Amino acid sequence: DSGVTQTPKHLITATGQRVTLRCSPRSGDLSVYWYQQSLDQGLQFLIQYYNGEERAKGNILERFSAQQFPDLHSELNLSSLELGDSALYFCASSVVASGGELFFGEGSRLTVL
Amino acid sequence: AQSVAQPEDQVNVAEGNPLTVKCTYSVSGNPYLFWYVQYPNRGLQFLLKYITGDNLVKGSYGFEAEFNKSQTSFHLKKPSALVSDSALYFCAVRGSMDTGRRALTFGSGTRLQVQP
């Protein structure tokens, strides 16, 4: 158990809909990262937050947004969903130290029908 | 931009034999290198990392990795493979120059299949 909690584990929805994925980082970790894992694109970095502020952006679509709250949990919002958004979405957290490894949650599997 | 290459989609090895999963990287500054393992329908589990120091890094479950700066490689090794090692392995990198962005860049993954 990495200590990173993600909900829901599975989500099935229709095209055009909006979903919210939730992540609770390990106790004490201030940084949260979101990744998307799909068969054709591999593991893609989406966005990083540190102590409530956006720190870095990766390949995140404009239809997607995220935030980190004062209690350090984070939410990833996916809107106007398309079939191609079907993927496994991972949250990870890390200590604030050079070379700190990321600790990953079990992921949220999104299926868009 | 940083990148990671895992040239083999799949590696097959017999149980008890040594295994190697290859990884090369490209990054600005000194590299911070990581290996992760993913079992079916699970998250990524951290195996080991290289930050500085000894080029041979030991990690979880008997795995080790060798950092080679001149070849920009960080191959994962294990002296004796187990069937339970069968999984998807990811190499990842971050550059020491990335003081703000601490996200890791991952390779495409290598599926390790250990035959009994």
Side-chain angles (χ1 to χ4, degrees):
Chain A
D1 183 4
S2 68
V4 178
T5 304
Q6 289 188 248
T7 57
K9 292 192 186 313
H10 302 276
L11 193 53
I12 301 174
T13 188
T15 55
Q17 295 298 303
R18 172 189 169 95
V19 298
T20 296
L21 310 180
R22 182 188 167 100
C23 168
S24 294
R26 294 188 321 156
S27 176
D29 285 355
L30 300 179
S31 286
V32 168
Y33 310 75
W34 286 97
Y35 282 82
Q36 179 194 58
Q37 185 179 31
S38 59
L39 285 175
D40 56 343
Q41 298 265 347
L43 265 167
Q44 297 286 316
F45 167 64
L46 297 179
I47 197 163
Q48 173 196 351
Y49 279 83
Y50 172 74
N51 202 20
E53 295 194 1
E54 183 184 305
R55 182 59 64 93
K57 264 186 176 180
N59 301 323
I60 188 165
L61 299 173
E62 285 191 12
R63 300 183 286 109
F64 296 179
S65 65
Q67 53 185 327
Q68 186 180 26
F69 296 86
D71 67 352
L72 300 178
H73 92 271
S74 178
E75 293 181 356
L76 180 66
N77 301 297
L78 314 174
S79 62
S80 303
L81 286 168
E82 303 175 359
L83 296 177
D85 298 328
S86 295
L88 199 51
Y89 290 86
F90 285 111
C91 171
S93 70
S94 73
V95 297
V96 182
S98 293
E101 61 268 30
L102 305 189
F103 293 90
F104 282 80
E106 296 286 290
S108 293
R109 182 171 294 281
L110 173 66
T111 302
V112 182
L113 301 176
Chain B
Q2 55 201 25
S3 64
V4 176
Q6 293 182 243
E8 302 153 316
D9 289 337
Q10 180 156 326
V11 169
N12 297 307
V13 64
E15 187 173 33
N17 283 0
L19 69 87
T20 299
V21 182
K22 295 179 181 177
C23 170
T24 59
Y25 66 89
S26 173
V27 72
S28 299
N30 293 319
Y32 298 152
L33 294 155
F34 304 81
W35 276 100
Y36 285 82
V37 60
Q38 185 181 27
Y39 296 97
N41 300 313
R42 302 297 300 276
L44 278 73
Q45 295 178 36
F46 169 73
L47 280 179
L48 52 80
K49 68 180 178 183
Y50 171 84
I51 304 302
T52 186
D54 195 349
N55 288 345
L56 186 63
V57 178
K58 294 189 183 298
S60 306
Y61 313 119
F63 284 94
E64 57 190 27
E66 187 167 13
F67 170 64
N68 187 316
K69 187 172 184 177
S70 63
Q71 297 186 4
T72 61
S73 67
F74 189 56
H75 301 330
L76 181 70
K77 301 181 180 185
K78 188 173 182 181
S80 179
L82 299 172
V83 172
S84 57
D85 292 330
S86 299
L88 189 56
Y89 290 80
F90 289 96
C91 181
V93 71
R94 180 167 76 80
S96 61
M97 306 292 284
D98 296 335
T99 54
R101 181 186 189 274
R102 295 181 183 274
L104 303 182
T105 297
F106 284 85
S108 55
T110 298
R111 188 163 300 282
L112 175 65
Q113 195 70 39
V114 181
Q115 284 106 18

